[in-house]
Amino acid sequence: MSNLLNSPQMLIRLHHDILTSVNAIQGDTGRLWNFVIDDYEIPTDAEIRLYLEKPSGKRIYNPGILQNSIISFQPTEQTLAEIGQSIGQIQITQNKQTITSYPFFLNVSKNYVLNADIQSTDEFLVLDNLIDEAQKTIANMKALMQKFTTQENARIEAEKRRVSAESARVTAENKRQTDTNSAISKANTATTNANNAANNANSKATLANDAATNANNKATLADRAKELANQATTKANQAASTAENAATKANNAIAGIPVEIKKLINDTSASSTATYSSTKINALFSSANVKEITNSQIDSLSNL
């Protein structure tokens, strides 16, 4: 049935009891009960519940609807299962806090149209809804747990891979450090060897430079000695040439002496530029009965 039979709005209060009564026919589920509370503004997000205790003591605990400050309940078959007067209350819950109305009375008249009596039982749709929600929540939780388990297993596997990768990284890092230290050590050794070789080369270069300097000095001295020797040779050659010239002149002078003597000594005839030889003179003295005069005596005559 799509169109429910709306009952007139029934007034209930939260501050004091006004003895509200609701009338109904046994088993009628096509009715819609509407309640109004005029001494309290119901929060729009509040939960509305109907509690009802039937004449047999069986109980009803079902959810209601709040719309435009009107509380509505659609009675179930169990709500109207028993003939007689039931006692009900409306419960308003918000943020785990609860407000309950003063009791109202539900008067259920016999439905003669029904072929058989309705077996009256407890009905807790609120709890059923909670159970359904709990079951849905449990199912969701199971799904979440399964998802969490899957994710956790994936995380564990990822963690294992991470640990393995980290171990590999640490191993690689240790190897890198070892290789780096070894390379540094080898580089230091090579540097030391290169420095030693450079020092040895520098020492040898210094010695070579010193040797070259000594050689250059010796070469300079040799060149100087050669120069001096050349100068000495030149002077010797000049002296030899001078001596040779002097000897030539001396020889020429000696060779010219007989000629010059012949020019000075003339035993044939006397002249103003010539003289007699000592032999001629001695001969003259001898012919004149003069004793022989010596050359030294003749020479001493020049001092007279």
Side-chain angles (χ1 to χ4, degrees):
M1 182 182 293
S2 59
N3 295 323
L4 299 178
L5 177 62
N6 282 293
S7 65
Q9 295 181 358
M10 295 167 283
L11 181 63
I12 57 175
R13 289 180 176 168
L14 301 179
H15 291 286
H16 57 86
D17 188 4
I18 57 174
L19 300 177
T20 299
S21 294
V22 179
N23 296 316
I25 300 298
Q26 181 186 19
D28 278 0
T29 59
R31 299 176 183 271
L32 186 65
W33 298 340
N34 298 309
F35 296 88
V36 175
I37 298 176
D38 64 356
D39 58 352
Y40 177 69
E41 184 177 351
I42 304 173
T44 56
D45 59 343
E47 294 183 10
I48 307 300
R49 295 167 184 172
L50 170 66
Y51 178 82
L52 192 69
E53 186 174 309
K54 293 183 282 190
S56 65
K58 298 290 194 288
R59 295 165 295 174
I60 299 294
Y61 191 44
N62 292 345
I65 299 172
L66 175 64
Q67 187 174 11
N68 297 326
S69 299
I70 297 175
I71 297 173
S72 300
F73 292 99
Q74 182 180 0
T76 62
E77 186 178 71
Q78 282 300 319
T79 303
L80 302 175
E82 294 187 16
I83 301 171
Q85 190 177 68
S86 300
I87 301 176
Q89 285 181 299
I90 294 176
Q91 186 181 65
I92 302 171
T93 302
Q94 183 190 38
N95 297 329
K96 297 183 180 180
Q97 294 179 341
T98 300
I99 298 176
T100 305
S101 71
Y102 280 90
F104 64 89
F105 298 100
L106 173 61
N107 299 312
V108 179
S109 299
K110 180 177 178 62
N111 189 341
Y112 292 95
V113 179
L114 292 176
N115 294 325
D117 292 335
I118 300 173
Q119 183 67 36
S120 180
T121 60
D122 292 322
E123 185 177 64
F124 302 104
L125 294 183
V126 170
L127 298 181
D128 291 343
N129 291 339
L130 291 176
I131 290 172
D132 290 341
E133 292 178 0
Q135 289 177 344
K136 291 178 181 179
T137 301
I138 290 172
N140 292 334
M141 288 298 295
K142 287 182 178 179
L144 288 175
M145 286 298 297
Q146 181 62 39
K147 183 178 180 180
F148 172 78
T149 300
T150 302
Q151 292 177 347
E152 180 64 13
N153 290 336
R155 187 196 65 79
I156 291 173
E157 291 300 322
E159 179 64 14
K160 289 180 180 179
R161 290 193 295 271
R162 187 197 67 78
V163 170
S164 177
E166 178 64 15
S167 177
R169 186 196 68 79
V170 170
T171 300
E173 178 63 16
N174 291 335
K175 185 178 183 301
R176 184 193 68 78
Q177 291 181 359
T178 300
D179 293 344
T180 300
N181 292 333
S182 177
I184 291 173
S185 178
K186 291 179 180 179
N188 290 333
T189 301
T191 301
T192 300
N193 293 335
N195 290 332
N196 292 335
N199 292 332
N200 292 333
N202 290 332
S203 298
K204 291 180 179 179
T206 300
L207 294 175
N209 290 332
D210 292 341
T213 301
N214 293 333
N216 290 331
N217 292 335
K218 291 180 179 179
T220 300
L221 293 176
D223 291 339
R224 181 60 178 168
K226 181 179 179 181
E227 181 181 358
L228 293 176
N230 290 333
Q231 291 177 359
T233 300
T234 300
K235 290 180 179 180
N237 291 332
Q238 291 175 352
S241 176
T242 302
E244 184 177 355
N245 291 334
T248 300
K249 290 180 180 180
N251 290 330
N252 291 334
I254 292 170
I257 288 174
V259 177
E260 294 300 323
I261 291 176
K262 287 180 179 181
K263 290 180 180 181
L264 294 175
I265 299 174
N266 187 359
D267 290 340
T268 304
S269 61
S271 68
S272 59
T273 58
T275 184
Y276 292 125
S277 65
S278 60
T279 302
K280 179 69 176 177
I281 294 173
N282 286 330
L284 291 175
F285 275 105
S286 178
S287 62
N289 295 317
V290 180
K291 293 183 178 179
E292 184 177 355
I293 187 169
T294 64
N295 288 334
S296 61
Q297 289 174 336
I298 294 172
D299 293 334
S300 66
L301 292 177
S302 64
N303 295 324
L304 295 179

